[in-house]
Amino acid sequence: MGKILVIADQKDSAIATGRGLELAARLGYSVDVYAFVYAPLGRLKQTAAERNALKQRLLEDREAEVQARIDKLSREGQKVKLKVVWQKDVAPWVVGHCGKTAYEMVVKTGRRSESIANTSTDWQLLRECPAPVLIVAKKKWRRTQPVMAALDLSSRIAAKKQLNATILSQAIALAEAMDEQLHIICAVEVPTLLEDLDLIDSRSYVAEAKQAMAPHIKALARQFDLPLKAFVVKRGPVEKVITSQAASMRAQMVVMGTVGRKGVRAKLIGNTAERVLGQLKTDVLALKP
């Protein structure tokens, strides 16, 4: 049986905890909930014993708080384990833990902001975590329904072709578990610079791109027993196509891939999944090659 790792929300919030428990129950997975607490106790003018006692109290208070949420939100008979960790930097700890323990996904409530000087926990997990990462939206569209899979059918790289199959497989499983429809979106992005310089005819470029995608769509349709009409191909920048399509259908979850760029290159270029997260009012499950 698979496992989901849930990063417990801070006080007065149970978004990720509730979503993680719900998905685990629907998919038949067990749940490991990790709650984090930290305070710079070394600055206090207390004895080592007094600081240790305070640390233990903080750990116990956090455990009681999160356990109360789990008791309220979990289903009868659901397998849930809670562990409270004294840790300031959550992302590196989770990345290291997932490197040693296999999880079907990591579930975290999104904090969808980033500056050039500060990389949030969300972005660190998307770039570095070996497990799929589900960033749960705080504010969602009303009456969300379908699950949407976003595929990159323009790439000739074998790893990305395999990732398309993984995305589709995961999206199908989630749609079935949640008893929702599945929608599949693919983007044809016209190189803006070449178009501006009149070096390509955009209509011909899109037509040729769609023609090149057709065999891949047919192969995936056969592999997963899906109708061809389930695959929608639209022209535009990838993140705009994904966000506009998800918004129009009010998707409750978008399943997509991320290349997981790191460092300066990621900050200057950005990852599609990260740009999408900044615009969507829905959950995003990001998978790596």
Side-chain angles (χ1 to χ4, degrees):
M1 180 172 63
K3 290 195 295 184
I4 289 178
L5 187 155
V6 175
I7 299 175
D9 301 277
Q10 295 304 313
K11 289 184 177 181
D12 302 321
S13 175
I15 300 170
T17 307
R19 188 61 159 157
L21 290 170
E22 176 198 6
L23 287 174
R26 289 178 177 272
L27 293 165
Y29 297 151
S30 61
V31 185
D32 288 349
V33 178
Y34 281 91
F36 297 88
V37 63
Y38 178 80
L41 302 182
R43 299 177 185 177
L44 300 178
K45 294 180 180 180
Q46 294 182 328
T47 65
E50 288 172 332
R51 287 196 296 270
N52 284 336
L54 178 56
K55 176 181 176 180
Q56 188 59 37
R57 176 185 168 186
L58 291 172
L59 288 167
E60 290 173 355
D61 287 350
R62 181 77 166 127
E63 181 176 12
E65 169 206 337
V66 178
Q67 187 62 57
R69 291 188 214 158
I70 293 172
D71 293 342
K72 180 180 179 180
L73 297 169
S74 60
R75 300 188 182 184
E76 186 176 353
Q78 191 170 13
K79 294 183 179 180
V80 184
K81 292 181 180 179
L82 169 62
K83 176 72 175 178
V84 181
V85 181
W86 186 265
Q87 179 61 243
K88 179 181 179 181
D89 298 319
V90 173
W93 189 95
V94 172
V95 169
H97 183 66
C98 289
K100 296 179 253 184
T101 306
Y103 287 99
E104 302 297 329
M105 69 180 72
V106 173
V107 182
K108 181 188 178 298
T109 301
R111 180 192 170 198
R112 301 180 177 185
S113 63
E114 183 184 40
S115 70
I116 198 72
N118 176 50
T119 302
S120 75
T121 300
D122 296 8
W123 308 145
Q124 285 182 273
L125 290 174
L126 285 170
R127 295 169 189 175
E128 302 172 18
C129 186
V133 178
L134 175 64
I135 301 297
V136 181
K138 290 182 179 180
K139 295 181 180 179
K140 298 184 181 182
W141 294 304
R142 291 184 178 180
R143 298 183 296 276
T144 55
Q145 291 182 338
V147 173
M148 192 176 90
L151 306 182
D152 178 7
L153 296 179
S154 62
S155 178
R156 298 179 181 179
I157 300 172
K160 287 193 175 181
K161 289 182 179 180
Q162 179 56 47
L163 180 58
N164 283 327
T166 302
I167 291 169
L168 201 46
S169 176
Q170 185 72 273
I172 290 170
L174 287 164
E176 290 177 350
M178 293 186 282
D179 195 25
E180 295 290 354
Q181 291 183 332
L182 172 68
H183 290 262
I184 305 162
I185 185 68
C186 318
V188 176
E189 186 164 0
V190 179
T192 305
L193 180 59
L194 299 182
E195 186 179 22
D196 290 344
L197 294 174
D198 291 327
L199 295 175
I200 59 172
D201 176 69
S202 58
R203 288 187 179 181
S204 298
Y205 183 92
V206 172
E208 291 171 5
K210 287 184 176 181
Q211 188 176 8
M213 288 180 179
H216 303 300
I217 291 175
K218 288 180 180 177
L220 288 169
R222 285 195 302 269
Q223 182 180 351
F224 293 99
D225 193 25
L226 295 169
L228 289 174
K229 65 180 181 180
F231 295 79
V232 176
V233 180
K234 290 196 171 184
R235 171 186 170 175
V238 176
E239 62 269 23
K240 288 186 178 179
V241 169
I242 293 173
T243 53
S244 64
Q245 189 73 3
S248 67
M249 66 180 59
R250 296 184 178 272
Q252 70 167 277
M253 184 182 296
V254 174
V255 184
M256 63 183 299
T258 176
V259 296
R261 294 190 188 97
K262 303 176 185 178
V264 174
R265 186 164 178 253
K267 287 183 176 293
L268 297 180
I269 299 175
N271 295 323
T272 301
E274 296 171 10
R275 295 195 296 268
V276 167
L277 271 167
Q279 303 177 50
L280 283 180
K281 292 183 179 180
T282 194
D283 301 346
V284 176
L285 177 62
L287 310 176
K288 293 185 180 67

